[in-house]
């Protein structure tokens, strides 16, 4: 889990990472606090790709869903 959370800035990009907070994982779901509704919408559109990249970094299929709050 720590590896996935640490990879968030790399996967999401520095601008988006600066506008997110309170990142945690519960039951294979990544929860990400987002400051901007515009960024939240962009992240929703990219959700499948983000999951694939995070799971690649983790070395296994660990994240099944991302919730942007």
């Amino acid at each position: 889990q720590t590896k996935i959370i640490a990879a968030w800035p790399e996967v999401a990009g520095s601008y988006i990472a600066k506008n997110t907070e309170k990142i945690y994982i519960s039951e294979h779901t990544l929860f990400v606090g987002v400051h901007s509704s515009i960024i939240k919408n962009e992240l929703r559109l990219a959700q499948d790709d983000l999951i694939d990249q995070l799971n690649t970094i983790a070395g296994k299929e660990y994240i099944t869903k991302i919730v942007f709050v």
Side-chain angles (χ1 to χ4, degrees):
Q1 290 184 1
T2 304
K3 191 175 190 179
I4 292 171
I5 292 170
W8 177 252
E10 176 187 338
V11 172
S14 62
Y15 177 77
I16 289 176
K18 289 177 187 174
N19 287 284
T20 58
E21 63 180 5
K22 299 180 183 174
I23 301 168
Y24 65 94
I25 298 170
S26 179
E27 298 183 17
H28 302 282
T29 299
L30 178 66
F31 291 85
V32 181
V34 183
H35 300 288
S36 162
S37 61
I38 294 170
I39 292 174
K40 188 185 290 187
N41 194 40
E42 287 183 30
L43 288 170
R44 282 189 184 124
L45 294 173
Q47 181 174 353
D48 291 341
D49 187 46
L50 293 168
I51 290 171
D52 289 343
Q53 290 182 54
L54 291 167
N55 285 333
T56 297
I57 289 168
K60 61 182 178 178
E61 297 292 317
Y62 189 79
I63 299 296
T64 57
K65 182 179 176 181
I66 303 176
V67 175
F68 303 105
V69 292

